[in-house]
């Protein structure tokens, strides 16, 4: 969709909120809590941003973008180039972080800009009268969205600022926050890798269906050395060699096999593909342990020996 930038607002020195409206469509595909949209950049690449507006307002999409000078360029372009009235190419929302609306207790854990999907989530949880707590960790003395989150959540909001300039600096003790395992408790976490890894470890013994993560950055493993492997297409038996310097997605494309993709860093899920057999080295940030038994992200995951794809 081509969407017009209807409003721009700074909520921190490096966080800018963009409100996007369609020229003719007054009702957009529903902005469900946890969903994100892809924003297309001038070079054709896309970036994912969580929707952070009111999930009951389908007249517009709202995204918050943290300017990351050392990032891959998307946030700097949005901050430095996009002005009020400009047009952005935006996908319909996709949701890998959907709120399970059961009679449940919810523990939401956000770090930094990872708070954005929690805004619509807390609005929805408040609306349905759910029992929840949002732990919001930030390195800033005045974390963005605190006022709005406080209005939505009242005492259900717990803010942890590690900044020495904060009125009362404190850090989240994840072990304490996740100490009550109940069959009906769902955990949602979005933030930096260190925070998500800590939550992963603390919930390793929880049922998988109760733990939900949203990542916007690739998994970083500086020690990983890619090696060549082979793909076999189960429908035809064709064998394709994936050299160390290419991805499975690259090789499939070069062979004329069209597969969808978007982020190409293992976070969006659009290139996920089934596999029938093989020893997969999973390097994505979105598949659950169960999903990894039968699916892989073609853009980043690799294999040992031969992987037979369900293609
Ligand atoms: S293209 Fe986004 S996970 Fe592969």
């Amino acid at each position: 969709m081509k969407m017009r930038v209807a409003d721009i607002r700074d909520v921190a020195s490096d966080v800018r909120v963009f409100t996007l409206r369609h020229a003719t469509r007054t009702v957009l595909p529903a902005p469900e809590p946890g969903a994100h949209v892809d924003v297309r950049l001038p070079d054709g690449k896309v970036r994912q941003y969580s929707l952070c507006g009111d999930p009951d307002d389908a007249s517009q999409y709202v995204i918050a973008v943290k300017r990351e000078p050392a990032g891959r360029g998307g946030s700097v372009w949005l901050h430095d180039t996009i002005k009020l009235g400009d047009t952005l190419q935006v996908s319909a929302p996709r949701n890998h972080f959907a709120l399970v609306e059961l009679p449940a207790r919810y523990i939401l854990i956000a770090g930094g800009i990872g708070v954005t999907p929690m805004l619509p989530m807390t609005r929805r949880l408040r609306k349905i009268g759910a029992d929840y707590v949002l732990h919001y960790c930030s390195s800033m003395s005045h974390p963005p969205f605190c006022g709005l989150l406080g209005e939505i959540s009242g005492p259900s909001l717990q803010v942890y600022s590690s900044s020495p300039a904060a009125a009362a600096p404190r850090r989240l003790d994840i072990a304490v926050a996740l100490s009550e395992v109940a069959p009906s408790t769902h955990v949602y976490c979005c933030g930096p890798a260190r925070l998500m890894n800590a939550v992963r470890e603390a919930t390793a013994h929880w049922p998988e269906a109760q733990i939900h993560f949203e990542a916007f950055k690739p998994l970083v493993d500086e020690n990983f050395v890619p090696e060549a492997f082979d793909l076999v297409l189960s429908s035809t038996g064709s064998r394709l060699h994936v050299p160390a310097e290419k991805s499975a997605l690259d090789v499939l494309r070069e062979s004329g096999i069209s597969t969808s993709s978007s982020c190409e860093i293992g976070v969006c899920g659009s290139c996920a593909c089934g596999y029938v057999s093989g020893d997969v080295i999973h390097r994505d940030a979105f598949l659950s342990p169960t999903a990894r038994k039968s699916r892989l992200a073609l853009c980043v995951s690799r294999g040992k020996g031969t992987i037979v794809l369900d293609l």
Side-chain angles (χ1 to χ4, degrees):
M1 294 180 282
K2 285 189 176 164
M3 300 197 70
R4 186 176 56 84
V5 179
D7 188 48
I8 297 178
R9 172 167 70 87
D10 288 340
V11 292
S13 58
D14 59 354
V15 179
R16 184 162 285 183
V17 174
F18 297 87
T19 300
L20 311 173
R21 296 208 184 103
H22 196 276
T24 54
R25 293 177 71 169
T26 52
V27 179
L28 299 166
E32 286 300 319
H36 69 265
V37 289
D38 291 347
V39 175
R40 187 169 292 276
L41 307 184
D43 63 3
K45 298 229 165 80
V46 292
R47 297 288 183 270
Q48 288 72 40
Y49 295 102
S50 289
L51 294 172
C52 61
D54 184 341
D56 291 332
D57 181 359
S59 69
Q60 60 186 21
Y61 292 153
V62 182
I63 58 172
V65 181
K66 181 176 182 197
R67 192 177 189 279
E68 311 250 25
R72 293 176 296 139
S75 67
V76 170
W77 177 72
L78 282 164
H79 271 250
D80 297 358
T81 308
I82 293 302
K83 306 177 303 301
L84 210 57
D86 283 350
T87 299
L88 290 176
Q89 290 226 31
V90 179
S91 72
R94 285 188 297 176
N95 203 347
H96 303 302
F97 198 47
L99 200 52
V100 178
E101 293 188 31
L102 295 169
R105 172 169 162 70
Y106 300 84
I107 301 175
L108 314 181
I109 300 176
I113 196 67
V115 76
T116 50
M118 306 306 183
L119 282 151
M121 281 189 172
T122 51
R123 282 187 195 273
R124 178 63 55 80
L125 292 173
R126 176 59 67 202
K127 183 177 175 187
I128 63 175
D131 175 15
Y132 74 93
V133 60
L134 167 60
H135 298 286
Y136 176 18
C137 310
S138 173
S139 59
M140 302 172 79
S141 54
H142 298 289
F145 302 114
C146 266
L148 178 56
L149 285 166
E151 281 171 28
I152 298 168
S153 300
S156 297
L157 171 67
Q158 296 289 318
V159 179
Y160 307 82
S161 171
S162 58
S163 167
R170 60 176 183 148
R171 289 183 185 273
L172 171 65
D173 185 332
I174 287 175
V176 172
L178 297 173
S179 56
E180 299 166 37
V181 189
S184 60
T185 301
H186 282 252
V187 174
Y188 288 79
C189 178
C190 183
R194 202 175 49 178
L195 176 74
M196 297 215 290
N197 287 340
V199 172
R200 257 193 198 100
E201 273 174 32
T203 56
H205 57 296
W206 288 42
E208 183 185 307
Q210 292 172 229
I211 317 297
H212 314 265
F213 292 98
E214 178 82 322
F216 284 98
K217 290 199 173 160
L219 295 181
V220 179
D221 176 0
E222 283 155 8
N223 300 319
F224 182 75
V225 180
E227 291 184 8
F229 63 103
D230 281 0
L231 297 173
V232 169
L233 310 187
S234 62
S235 59
T236 61
S238 313
R239 180 174 288 270
L240 303 169
H241 182 66
V242 184
E245 69 280 8
K246 291 187 178 176
S247 69
L249 187 65
D250 293 334
V251 169
L252 287 167
R253 272 195 195 130
E254 287 168 7
S255 307
I257 297 159
S258 77
T259 52
S260 61
S261 71
S262 176
C263 70
E264 301 195 11
I265 57 169
V267 299
C268 76
S270 60
C271 70
C273 173
Y275 67 94
V276 179
S277 64
D279 193 356
V280 175
I281 304 168
H282 292 281
R283 307 194 69 239
D284 68 277
F286 65 90
L287 288 172
S288 68
T290 299
R292 285 180 168 192
K293 290 178 185 161
S294 59
R295 296 177 73 71
L296 81 165
L298 293 169
C299 65
V300 290
S301 292
R302 309 192 64 82
K304 287 183 190 152
T306 299
I307 307 295
V308 180
L309 292 179
D310 189 11
L311 278 178

